[in-house]
Structures are given as C-alpha cells and as structure tokens.
Amino acid sequence: MSEAVSRRSALRLFGALGAALGAAGCTPAVPPGGIPRTGPSAAAGPSAPASPAGGPARPGSAARIDALLDRLTLEEKTALLHGSRDPYPLGQAGYLPGVPRLGIPPLRLADGPAGVRVARPATALPAPVVLASAFDPALAREYGRTLGREARALGQDVLLAPVANLIRTPYAGRNAEAFSEDPRLTADLVAEVVRGIQDEGAIAAVKHFAPGNQEHGRDTVDVIAGERTLHETELRGFEAAVTAGVGAVVGAHHKVNGTHASESRPLLDELLRGRWGFDGWVMSAPDAAHSTVAALGAGLDMELPGGTHFGSPLREAVRGGTVPEDAVDLAVRRILATMDRFGLLDTKRPARPARDPGAGARTARRVATAGAVLLRNEHATLPLAGAAARSIAVIGPTAQVPFVSGGGSAHVVPDRAAAPLAAIRRRAGSGATVRHALGEDLYGRPLPPDLLVPSAGLDDRIVPAGRTWSHEGEFTLSEDDAWTLLVHYTGKRPSVRLDGEELFAVRQGAAEPLAGGLLGSAPDGLGVRRRTLDLTAGAHRLAVFAEGGEAGGRFRLRHTTRATRAADVAEAVKVAKAARSVVVFAYEDAGEGSDRTSLGLPGGQAGLIEAVAAANPRTAVVLNTPSGTTMPWLSRTGAVLQMYYPGQEGAAATAAVLFGDTDPGGRLTQTFPADEKQTPVGGDPLRYPGVGGRQEFSEGVHVGHRWYDAQRVEPLFAFGHGLSYTSWEYRDLVLRPERSGLRAEFTVRNTGRRKGTEVAQVYVGPSAELGLDQPVRALAGYRRLTLAPGEARRVAVDVDARALSSWDPERHAWVPGTGRRTVFAGRSSRDLPLRAETVVKTGAENG
C-alpha cells in the first residue's frame, strides 16, 4: 500500500530518534615514480594500513585539527571544500589540492564500484551484482580489500564506492553497480565492502544518498517517498555503511520530497549525522550541488568536481555575512578528522603498496565463479562433459570480444581480459572441435564501391588535422529493405545525413558513450554508432561531413541489410547443427547516463537464439546483461547461465562453470519478470520513470520479490533462484529463542553425486499484532555452504531483531512485530519447503 507524504511530514521525515534495534582518455604523463608526494609524507615508511574502519578518533586528533583550523585562511578552507584541477591527472573523479604549507596533503578521489576507474590498468572485478549473487559477506570483504589496496596503489585516497541503492526497477542503467533488490542482503554486503576498502587504508565513500534508482531524469526528478518506505528499503544499506564506519557519503543528484538531496537537512543533518552518528564528510555527486548557503547549511561538506558553489561564492557569502565562518570550519573539520583517522595528516604517512595484479586477478575469478547463476538446465545440457564437451559450437559476437564491465563510473581498464571463445577452446582441449559463428554482425560490411553516384571511398577515410572532408551522393534500391548504417570513428564523430536526416547526432551528458545496448567500440578501438532504418525502393541521398580537428580523425561507414543478417543467422544455424553442444553468448551494454528502453536483448539476439536452439536443443545461453531480462526464447533452450558483467577473469570463470569444474553457486539477487508490464514499477509511470518530474515510491515496503508476493505475480525467475549441478534436500526446521531475536536451525543435504554449493535462505512472515502493512515474506538471513555428495549439515541462521521489526512512522522508530510469526527456509523466495511458527514477544522473551 502507498503512503501519503505531505510537505510537513517530509520536513519531519527523519526528525525523531528511533529505537535502535541493530543493523546488520588521454591524460598528461605522470612523472617517473608516479604522483609526487607533497609535504612531510615524502619520507613515509613501510606500507601499513591506516586506522581500522569505524575505529575511534586518534589520540590528539581534535587538538591537531583545532590547530590547523586556527592557521588556515578562508581561501585555504574553501579550497578544501571543492574539487580542483589535478596537476598530475589520472582520469580520476576528483582532486583536492590540500594545503602544503601546513602539511595537509592532496586528496585524490576515484570511482570504484567494480575496480579503480583511472586511466591506468587496474583489476576489473566483476560487477557488484555478481558479487552479491554469491550471498557471501566474507567474499564481499575480500572484494572490498582488493578495491582499497588497488586504490592506494594507484595513487587514490578516496574510493567512490560501494553503491548502496537498491535495484528498484529492472530498467535502471546502473543496476549492475548495485547489489540487490533486497534491503537486508544489500545492507550486509555494503557493510563488508566498506570494511574491506578501509581495511587497506583507503576511504570508502558510499553512494548515492538517497534514494537513487534510475538514470532517467536523475538530475531533476523529485522522489516522493514516505518515512516508513525509506527506512525499510532504501536507507538500510546506508545505515549499514555508517555502522561499518564509512568515511564519506556521496549525495544523490535528484530531489527527495521536494528538496535536492545535497541540501536536505532531514537527510544529511537530522538522519545521517543526528540519528546514525555519522562523523565523516558528505560530498556531492558530480555537478549535484545546487546552492551555496542552503547546501552548506544542510550538511553538504564538499562539492565535486569544481567550485561552482563552494569556491568564490562561498567566500563571498562568508564575507557578506550570509554564511558564518563557523559553518565552513565545521565542514573542513569533518574532512580533516577523517583524513586524520586514516593517518593522512601524520608526519610519517602510510606508504602506498605496490599493485599486485596476480592477487587482484585471483579475487576477480573467485567472485565471477561464485556469482554465476544457472537459471535453467534441462536434459543435463550443462555441464559439458563426455561427447558433449568434444564437439561445441560457440555463437555470438561477444564470444570473441571480452565483455568485462559496464560503462561510466564502473568502467575499468583491465590488466588483461581473455575472450570466452579462447577460454572454451583452451578448456575443451586439443581433442575437441570448437567452431565459432558470429550470428550477428555488430560492425557491418563495407558499402559496395559502386553504390554511390558519384562514388567515394567510405570504408577507411583519414581526415588530417585542421582539414575537413565531405561528400554527397545518391544510391538506388531495387526493393524495400531494412538497413543498419554504422559509423566507426576517432576524434569528432562525422555527420552522416540520409535523405536530409542526421543519423548519428551527439547526445549530451553521460548517455553519449552508450550505443543502444550494443557494443560501442570496434576491435581496433574506433567508436561505433548504429542506426536501423526501413528504406523504400528508389533513390536515396547520402551526405557525409567530417572534421579533422586538432589531432586528425579517421572514419568508416558500413552497413548490414536484411540479406546479410539472414546469412549470419544461417551460418550460425549450420554450425550449431554440426555440433553436439551449443553455447550462445548474448549481452546488453548498459551503464551510467541512460536507462534501458526494453528488458529484451538488443539487436537481433532473440531471433538468433530462437533459430540456433531450434536447430540444436542442447543450446546453453550465457547472458552478460546488467539486470533482469525477458526471455521469450527460454523454452527452446537447454540451459541459461547468468554471468552479468563478470570482470577481467569472466571468460575463465564462465568456462569453469560450463564444463563443471565448479558448481554454479550464485543465486539471483533480483527477480526476473516474465512480462515487462508486471514488475514493481511496470505500468505505473508515476513509479517509473516519473510524471512531470515527480516520482512516487507508492509500492511502499514491497520492493522486489516482496511486490511479486504481495501481488501474487509469477516471475520468470524468483529472487534467490539458482540451480546446481547436484540436488538438495531440506528438513527438520526448528526455531529457538535468542536474546536479540530467534535462531532457525535446519538440515541441508546434498542428495546428488557431485560436490555442490547451496545458498540456504530464511524468510519471515508478517506479525498479525502489528497494525502496519508488511511483506508477505521478508528475507531474514541466509547461509552459503558447500557439501560433498551425500553430506548433510545442520545449518543455523540467526533472525535478528531488525528482521522481526517494522518502522512505525507514528513513533518514528523500529517496533517489534510480536505475536505468532511464520518462518520459512529453502532455496529461493518461491521454493521454501520448510516452515515453522513461533511466538515473538518483546525484547529477549521470544518463544
């Protein structure tokens, strides 16, 4: 049920203290030796981690910072509150110059949800959604440590990660950067990634506070959400990050209940600092600061990337009396206190570690393997073994192109990344036959040399610096056809006009690098843009104009037709028929800047899968997609393996799962819908993407799988779903009272003939005594375990007080759901063979 939110209730949204119940690119060259150190840190000693995450203030910290504030000028103070130009840029997200005369070092800030995003090689870890699919907080800690260690090694001090926002809509472009649709699972993993990053001495900056679940209109949309909705869903991950000791928080771009998130006193001052006790600093997302006086007064401490509001306007506001200098001091104090906590103000600062690419690669492969989700497996299509492993057809363009990560903030330059086809051939061995068919031409064929009148060479045209090139010609089609025109280019994108229409207009903002879900660059690095058009028989006019710019440019114009696409599919079918087993690689390229326009696979991939699976039913589809995908072709396939964006070791991890070297141990952290119209936001534009700049979270507490349960909608694949190469049995659920909640104990047995990995899940039903709308079932805990054939293990999952409580907007507090409660245990939110009841009393008196 929805919650009505008035302006007045929005203002007091977070105002009362709740009862705490627990929370579970080209850049200038860098001088030899890397980024130079400034100030006394040049003599830093051996590598050592900074203060532990969440540790107490260092002895003498307050006095040290008081002394610095006394000596800082107003200009120096405000310079610490906004980004500046880095004299030795590495393509990172932000830079603060520090104050060398006082020994305050510069700060470098890099994006890093899936690896350190700089213009140097770094470990490209699997996307966070892959990590989450492992349901393994210990692995999340390891993932975070890899991020933190690499950030420090690459000269960065602050890592803008992790993303604590929920997967609310399957359309969101950045879903791969998030963990889950479930608040509990997200909170658990966010906390461990924060701890891991900060174990290594880097400062974690959790984002985007809050709530932020889409790219569409992200700078302008006003999110209307009730107090209870926010506390029980979107805020859980951020609260967990604060509990874990996160050093910084990144504000969201948009408005929340009528006020920009970066200037929301209820969010930043009353909730984050006043109720949760956060003592780090808050920075804006890039260009997400919208004011000077209001933002600073609400609790924003730092503006990125520049000083539009916190530079000279802030100094003028102080001198004019509209901002007291004490407010500036408070923001500076928060930044310096966090730096001091991590040893960055010490005379002898922690030395930066050397990069260890081998260790990073091992973590990347471990995560990619652990997070692999087997969605379907009919007639033992997988694993590939025996004769099925000796004759394999590999189909799809991304079998040859490593699909590593998403775009925008999640883009990482990997040390290396093998193609899946190469990994499959290597694993199959010299005695196997592995043939590849493209299936879909992503880059196009050259235009026929005699197509245009007058003719022109358009397949590889170089435009020197400072020059321009243009051509206009006509071509004639003998019959109607569907063409895809493609431009490959370096430098400024050429203008291509067909019958007077510009085909490849440049889009503004972060959406520009995206290419409609298809790969946006050619194997030789040229950018690629596509446009599909229905052309009628007769004459058409084509005009091309290109500018060389300062550095010169190169472009080629290519195309595919209905006939070439049919030929590609026919070749794939031929190869599939000749093989014992088929592996089709399908994908969607998504990321920051734009949401998905459909949940189906882009291009002609759905038709390709249909045709290949019809030719050979032993077809396994490997999906490198960011989020839930509709699968009209599902029933024809033998198996479907969801790998998301698997990082630099994704090819090896995929091959390991396909051949059964490891059990697919991942489980879905988001529900896959059977129908695009039947999702928590489907068919309701007010929920997504918003109407007139206003978006309502009217689903209330029913996010993700909770909505499917409440509405009795059958998903394509349920939250928590994932198959194994062995079989499992659950039995003997017993509930025992615990001081902070209760304990669910049950037995899990591997009843198959192979070693396997299982994720046992526990859900709790609503309290009849609590007069609040509650989920039909809420995830209360889980346990990842690996068992040998025939092995049984008694599993204990603690259901804590928070899992048994709801947020009461009248009391502004968490309140326990007392009375008779049902607890479920099983393999997914829809596969729960065990259930038991208990009576929950207040406090520790559960029984």
Side-chain angles (χ1 to χ4, degrees):
M1 298 175 65
S2 65
E3 296 173 72
V5 183
S6 67
R7 174 68 176 167
R8 178 174 296 177
S9 65
L11 290 174
R12 62 178 177 82
L13 191 58
F14 309 103
L17 176 60
L21 293 174
C26 296
T27 58
V30 176
I35 297 172
R37 292 194 184 134
T38 58
S41 65
S47 173
S51 303
R58 296 153 59 85
S61 177
R64 181 197 307 232
I65 293 163
D66 286 342
L68 287 172
L69 282 169
D70 286 344
R71 297 176 64 190
L72 285 166
T73 67
L74 179 60
E75 286 75 11
E76 289 170 335
K77 290 174 184 176
T78 57
L80 292 172
L81 302 186
H82 66 81
S84 184
R85 181 185 176 276
D86 190 341
Y88 305 105
L90 281 176
Q92 72 272 22
Y95 170 77
L96 263 72
V99 184
R101 74 178 184 88
L102 297 180
I104 300 174
L107 276 183
R108 289 179 169 87
L109 307 90
D111 287 313
V116 184
R117 186 192 180 209
V118 294
R120 280 185 175 179
T123 299
L125 290 165
V129 70
V130 182
L131 169 68
S133 300
F135 281 73
D136 188 346
L139 187 61
R141 184 73 166 258
E142 181 182 342
Y143 186 98
R145 294 196 69 157
T146 298
L147 289 173
R149 186 167 55 251
E150 293 235 323
R152 294 278 298 149
L154 288 165
Q156 308 304 304
D157 306 291
V158 182
L159 201 61
L160 307 183
V163 174
N165 305 108
L166 299 183
I167 297 175
R168 177 175 178 261
T169 167
Y171 291 98
R174 301 177 75 172
N175 276 349
E177 296 180 46
F179 293 104
S180 171
E181 69 187 20
D182 187 83
R184 172 58 185 261
L185 179 61
T186 295
D188 290 348
L189 301 177
V190 163
E192 291 307 313
V193 171
V194 165
R195 291 184 178 106
I197 291 170
Q198 298 189 165
D199 283 346
E200 299 296 326
I203 301 169
V206 66
K207 60 184 186 180
H208 300 90
F209 189 66
N213 313 93
Q214 65 188 59
E215 292 300 282
H216 184 92
R218 72 174 187 181
D219 296 317
T220 57
V221 69
D222 186 4
V223 174
I224 307 301
E227 177 177 338
R228 180 164 182 242
T229 295
L230 287 176
H231 275 279
E232 291 204 29
T233 62
E234 188 74 9
L235 294 178
R236 289 287 301 277
F238 294 97
E239 183 183 5
V242 172
T243 301
V246 72
V249 169
V250 181
H253 295 82
H254 52 262
K255 295 179 180 178
V256 180
N257 293 322
T259 304
H260 285 290
S262 61
E263 52 192 51
S264 171
R265 182 180 292 274
L267 276 174
L268 303 183
D269 184 57
E270 297 174 16
L271 174 68
L272 182 63
R273 294 195 172 97
R275 307 311 169 207
W276 292 348
F278 174 66
D279 59 1
W281 87 86
V282 178
M283 67 187 79
S284 74
D287 299 314
H290 299 277
S291 64
T292 301
V293 178
L296 188 72
L300 185 70
D301 302 308
M302 180 188 293
E303 177 188 9
L304 291 179
T308 302
H309 301 286
F310 279 19
S312 58
L314 179 55
R315 291 191 294 274
E316 292 168 7
V318 172
R319 291 170 181 145
T322 56
V323 171
E325 191 163 352
D326 284 351
V328 174
D329 289 352
L330 180 58
V332 173
R333 178 181 296 278
R334 290 166 177 155
I335 295 168
L336 293 180
T338 307
M339 293 176 67
D340 189 56
R341 173 182 151 200
F342 284 80
L344 299 180
L345 298 183
D346 290 354
T347 301
K348 189 176 183 180
R349 297 173 195 135
R352 298 190 182 275
R355 273 201 73 219
D356 188 346
R362 288 189 292 274
T363 297
R365 179 162 179 178
R366 187 153 48 246
V367 173
T369 303
V373 186
L374 184 61
L375 298 177
R376 174 180 170 88
N377 193 22
E378 298 296 312
H379 311 300
T381 298
L382 294 179
L384 301 174
R390 294 193 292 272
S391 172
I392 306 171
V394 180
I395 310 292
T398 49
Q400 290 182 306
V401 180
F403 205 92
V404 175
S405 61
S409 299
H411 176 70
V412 181
V413 180
D415 290 295
R416 65 174 188 271
L421 178 61
I424 289 172
R425 282 179 169 153
R426 183 165 50 250
R427 175 58 183 81
S430 58
T433 299
V434 179
R435 296 184 61 198
H436 176 252
L438 198 62
E440 183 176 20
D441 184 355
L442 292 180
Y443 303 115
R445 273 85 155 167
L447 295 173
D450 57 351
L451 176 73
L452 283 178
V453 179
S455 63
L458 294 175
D459 191 50
D460 196 0
R461 173 68 62 174
I462 294 175
V463 184
R467 304 287 295 276
T468 63
W469 184 90
S470 64
H471 182 81
E472 187 168 350
E474 189 174 275
F475 66 94
T476 301
L477 294 182
S478 60
E479 59 183 8
D480 294 352
D481 203 349
W483 276 32
T484 297
L485 279 166
L486 304 93
V487 62
H488 303 203
Y489 64 97
T490 60
K492 185 175 181 180
R493 186 184 308 159
S495 168
V496 180
R497 302 182 72 85
L498 182 65
D499 298 330
E501 180 186 1
E502 176 60 58
L503 299 186
F504 307 110
V506 175
R507 296 186 292 176
Q508 298 301 313
E512 168 55 30
L514 300 175
L518 299 171
L519 293 179
S521 60
D524 61 357
L526 271 67
V528 176
R529 290 296 180 271
R530 304 166 183 83
R531 182 74 178 274
T532 299
L533 307 119
D534 290 321
L535 300 183
T536 58
H540 297 273
R541 195 135 197 98
L542 184 71
V544 182
F545 175 78
E547 298 177 76
E550 295 182 359
R554 175 186 172 199
F555 77 90
R556 50 186 176 243
L557 195 65
R558 293 190 171 183
H559 80 313
T560 63
T561 67
R562 188 178 288 121
T564 65
R565 290 191 289 272
D568 289 337
V569 173
E571 175 63 19
V573 168
K574 179 181 176 181
V575 171
K577 284 182 176 179
R580 182 66 180 268
S581 300
V582 181
V583 180
V584 179
F585 283 85
Y587 76 100
E588 180 176 359
D589 191 9
E592 184 174 4
S594 180
D595 284 346
R596 304 162 72 190
T597 58
S598 167
L599 302 187
L601 294 169
Q605 295 181 94
L608 173 64
I609 294 170
E610 289 270 10
V612 168
N616 189 331
R618 291 186 61 83
T619 293
V621 179
V622 177
L623 292 173
N624 295 128
T625 53
S627 190
T629 302
T630 52
M631 306 178 195
W633 38 263
L634 180 66
S635 62
R636 287 187 177 272
T637 64
V640 178
L641 178 64
Q642 176 65 250
M643 295 297 296
Y644 298 106
Y645 297 163
Q648 68 178 52
E649 303 301 315
T654 301
V657 175
L658 289 174
F659 285 88
D661 301 334
T662 183
D663 199 40
R667 303 294 183 262
L668 288 183
T669 69
Q670 56 191 296
T671 308
F672 277 31
D675 184 333
E676 292 202 31
K677 295 180 181 179
Q678 290 191 305
T679 74
V681 300
D684 187 347
L686 262 177
R687 289 187 183 179
Y688 175 84
V691 176
R694 176 186 174 94
Q695 180 185 57
E696 297 182 0
F697 278 35
S698 56
E699 69 272 23
V701 300
H702 301 291
V703 293
H705 59 95
R706 301 175 179 183
W707 180 88
Y708 287 88
D709 289 341
Q711 299 298 318
R712 299 182 180 180
V713 172
E714 190 66 27
L716 184 64
F717 295 111
F719 174 88
H721 170 75
L723 303 177
S724 171
Y725 290 150
T726 187
S727 54
W728 303 92
E729 178 188 67
Y730 283 67
R731 55 183 173 84
D732 301 333
L733 172 62
V734 175
L735 303 179
R736 304 185 187 282
E738 292 288 326
R739 181 176 181 182
S740 61
L742 58 89
R743 172 168 290 184
E745 295 181 359
F746 51 95
T747 298
V748 178
R749 180 182 176 86
N750 180 349
T751 57
R753 299 180 178 180
R754 296 174 58 99
K755 179 181 178 181
T757 297
E758 175 68 324
V759 176
Q761 302 161 45
V762 173
Y763 296 79
V764 62
S767 163
E769 296 182 3
L770 198 59
L772 295 167
D773 185 29
Q774 299 165 71
V776 175
R777 282 179 295 275
L779 181 69
Y782 48 88
R783 185 77 69 244
R784 183 182 177 91
L785 60 156
T786 299
L787 300 180
E791 183 181 359
R793 184 175 302 171
R794 194 71 178 158
V795 176
V797 174
D798 289 328
V799 179
D800 62 17
R802 177 64 62 86
L804 295 168
S805 301
S806 295
W807 182 267
D808 187 336
E810 296 298 324
R811 302 183 192 179
H812 310 291
W814 290 99
V815 294
T818 55
R820 187 162 296 279
R821 305 290 292 268
T822 304
V823 175
F824 308 83
R827 307 197 65 237
S828 79
S829 65
R830 291 293 180 96
D831 183 2
L832 298 167
L834 303 183
R835 62 182 292 166
E837 291 186 349
T838 187
V839 175
V840 175
K841 300 180 182 179
T842 58
E845 299 175 351
N846 299 336

